[in-house]
């Protein structure tokens, strides 16, 4: 110690200390892996082999090979168990997976194994499973694993109750997006829900919904022009509009796209350096001309947009040159 300042250990000292700490743990893990492979080779699929997978996954839940081994063992154990004992095994593994979500919420294999377990159980409680997903998405609302799993759970709930949950799920995405406009997973889930919602709507309601959704995305874009989540949803809406509203005329579509381009053009006047504004204005001009055969009048020059994009995004210069042939 000098002048009450603690001496910082050298990098080599830290490396040595970490090595001494990790070495026996690595050796234990390697020995367990070797044992797991021996069990598999010798077709040992009993409780002792199951415990080996538990010990391994406690240390490393990202080892998908061990998850596969675990499923092989569980499948074998099921053969000699009563329905009550099978249920107990399933609940045990569901609890095991759930205990890992806190530290490893974005490990594919945890979600995959939970899904596998639940599909084995004819008495699975899907409402309880939805509560779990709600909890996990409260902790991290942008966890795309959780959103993907949520769609699976909702599908199972709809099958079990013979009731559509599209409207409720649509409201849920709105809630999550309003909490954070940058929630790409929530926007993406909206693209999965909207076609199903529109299938049961009247023609006039389909148009109203599309207009409303475009305005909703524009509001998010104005809030944060640099975030791409709402931009991508807005682009998806415009590209899919003719599919979502099949009786929309070409003239109607032209007016719709023209209004969207005007709205983004107004933002561009305020944010002249926004690469998102420039890029999507170009994309929409191309799409409009492709579908309707004509381009809307604009307060900006498409040529200027492309020139600026080539200067500010030089890596995609050739792509912007290619775009010139569509709108200039």
């Amino acid at each position: 110690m000098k002048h009450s300042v603690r001496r910082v250990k050298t990098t080599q000292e830290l490396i040595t200390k970490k090595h001494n700490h990790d070495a026996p743990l690595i050796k234990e893990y390697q020995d367990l892996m070797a044992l797991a492979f021996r069990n598999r080779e010798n077709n040992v699929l009993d409780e002792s082999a199951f415990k080996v997978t538990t010990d391994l996954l406690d240390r490393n839940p990202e080892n998908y090979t061990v998850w596969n081994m675990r499923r092989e063992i569980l499948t074998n154990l099921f053969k000699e168990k009563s329905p009550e004992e099978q249920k107990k095994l399933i609940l045990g593994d569901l609890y095991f997976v759930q205990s890992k979500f806190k530290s490893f919420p974005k490990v594919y294999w945890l979600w995959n194994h939970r899904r596998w377990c639940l599909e084995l159980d004819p008495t699975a409680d899907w409402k309880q499973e939805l509560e779990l997903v709600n909890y996990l998405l409260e902790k991290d609302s942008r966890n795309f694993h959780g959103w993907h799993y949520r769609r699976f759970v909702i599908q199972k709930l709809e099958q079990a109750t013979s009731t559509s949950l599209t409207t409720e799920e649509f409201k849920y995405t709105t809630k999550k997006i309003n909490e954070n406009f940058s929630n790409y997973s929530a926007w993406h889930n909206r693209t999965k829900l909207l076609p199903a919602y529109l299938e049961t709507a009247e023609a006039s309601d389909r148009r109203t919904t599309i207009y409303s959704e475009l305005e909703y995305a524009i509001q998010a874009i104005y809030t944060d022009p640099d975030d791409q989540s709402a931009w991508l949803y807005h682009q998806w809406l415009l590209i899919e509009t003719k599919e979502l509203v099949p009786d929309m005329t070409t003239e109607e579509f032209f007016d719709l796209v023209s209004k969207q381009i005007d709205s983004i053009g107004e933002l561009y006047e305020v944010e002249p350096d926004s690469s998102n504004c420039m890029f999507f204005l170009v994309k929409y001009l191309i799409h409009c001309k492709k579908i309707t055969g004509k381009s809307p009048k604009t307060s900006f020059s498409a040529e200027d947009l492309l020139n600026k994009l080539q200067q500010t995004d030089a890596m995609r210069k050739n792509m912007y040159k290619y775009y010139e042939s569509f709108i200039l």
Side-chain angles (χ1 to χ4, degrees):
M1 297 279 287
K2 184 178 181 181
H3 303 297
S4 299
V5 177
R6 187 181 297 277
R7 182 173 67 86
V8 178
K9 294 181 179 179
T10 64
T11 302
Q12 187 56 49
E13 285 177 317
L14 288 172
I15 291 173
T16 302
K17 183 177 180 180
K18 180 170 175 54
H19 173 77
N20 292 337
H21 174 269
D22 291 349
L25 299 178
I26 293 171
K27 179 66 167 57
E28 284 180 20
Y29 186 80
Q30 291 173 335
D31 289 345
L32 280 170
M33 279 300 299
L35 177 56
F37 278 111
R38 284 199 303 275
N39 286 338
R40 193 181 213 181
E41 185 178 351
N42 296 321
N43 201 34
V44 178
L45 302 169
D46 58 12
E47 298 283 357
S48 65
F50 187 71
K51 185 180 183 307
V52 172
T53 66
T54 301
D55 291 342
L56 282 165
L57 293 169
D58 264 333
R59 290 166 169 80
N60 178 19
E62 294 193 66
N63 192 327
Y64 64 88
T65 300
V66 178
W67 284 112
N68 289 335
M69 291 177 176
R70 190 175 185 87
R71 284 190 282 275
E72 290 173 359
I73 297 167
L74 275 170
T75 301
N76 183 69
L77 291 175
F78 274 14
K79 295 175 183 176
E80 50 194 55
K81 300 288 185 182
S82 67
E84 292 76 16
E85 290 172 324
Q86 290 177 355
K87 178 75 173 182
K88 187 176 180 180
L89 275 174
I90 291 170
L91 290 176
D93 250 36
L94 289 176
Y95 179 79
F96 178 67
V97 169
Q98 188 171 329
S99 70
K100 299 297 175 191
F101 276 143
K102 184 176 181 180
S103 300
F104 304 96
K106 295 183 179 180
V107 172
Y108 281 100
W109 322 114
L110 286 170
W111 296 98
N112 289 347
H113 190 72
R114 189 169 188 88
R115 177 171 177 162
W116 181 85
C117 286
L118 285 165
E119 288 188 308
L120 282 178
D121 184 5
T123 64
D125 189 339
W126 297 108
K127 288 185 179 180
Q128 181 176 301
E129 203 63 16
L130 182 58
E131 290 177 6
L132 172 64
V133 179
N134 285 337
Y135 172 77
L136 292 170
L137 288 177
E138 284 298 317
K139 296 296 182 182
D140 181 3
S141 64
R142 296 193 294 180
N143 183 347
F144 72 90
H145 300 279
W147 282 97
H148 181 70
Y149 187 72
R150 184 184 185 89
R151 287 191 288 274
F152 162 71
V153 172
I154 291 297
Q155 181 187 47
K156 291 295 185 180
L157 262 175
E158 288 179 330
Q159 291 172 356
T161 61
S162 300
T163 305
S164 172
L165 297 173
T166 299
T167 301
E168 288 80 356
E169 283 302 286
F170 208 70
K171 291 177 181 177
Y172 182 78
T173 63
T174 302
K175 174 178 177 287
K176 287 302 178 184
I177 291 168
N178 288 345
E179 290 172 356
N180 182 359
F181 280 140
S182 187
N183 192 331
Y184 173 80
S185 293
W187 287 110
H188 176 69
N189 207 48
R190 216 167 172 86
T191 68
K192 301 295 184 182
L193 295 165
L194 189 59
Y197 177 78
L198 293 176
E199 277 182 10
T200 60
E202 298 292 334
S204 59
D205 290 338
R206 288 199 293 269
R207 283 169 169 75
T208 300
T209 300
I210 291 295
Y211 300 148
S212 175
E213 285 298 292
L214 286 166
E215 179 59 28
Y216 184 48
I218 285 289
Q219 289 176 8
I221 286 168
Y222 266 69
T223 301
D224 186 0
D226 292 331
D227 184 81
Q228 286 204 329
S229 302
W231 282 107
L232 293 173
Y233 181 68
H234 189 267
Q235 176 184 238
W236 176 83
L237 281 169
L238 281 185
I239 290 174
E240 296 296 323
T241 289
K242 292 285 282 180
E243 292 291 328
L244 295 171
V245 189
D247 61 340
M248 179 177 283
T249 66
T250 301
E251 196 60 36
E252 278 185 286
F253 183 73
F254 179 80
D255 291 341
L256 176 68
V257 179
S258 296
K259 288 176 182 177
Q260 299 308 305
I261 289 174
D262 287 344
S263 292
I264 297 170
E266 291 175 7
L267 178 61
Y268 177 58
E269 290 179 6
V270 180
E271 301 279 352
D273 296 323
S274 171
S275 58
N276 280 332
C277 281
M278 292 185 280
F279 177 76
F280 285 101
L281 283 171
V282 167
K283 293 278 284 188
Y284 294 163
L285 287 169
I286 291 173
H287 186 61
C288 186
K289 191 171 184 180
K290 176 183 176 183
I291 300 299
T292 68
K294 55 184 179 178
S295 299
K297 292 181 181 180
T298 61
S299 59
F300 53 85
S301 163
E303 185 175 6
D304 288 346
L305 289 179
L306 286 166
N307 286 335
K308 286 181 70 174
L309 283 168
Q310 288 177 45
Q311 293 170 15
T312 59
D313 189 13
M315 289 185 67
R316 297 176 179 83
K317 185 174 182 179
N318 289 334
M319 180 180 72
Y320 300 129
K321 284 185 173 294
Y322 174 69
Y323 285 167
E324 289 175 357
S325 62
F326 292 98
I327 56 175
L328 297 185

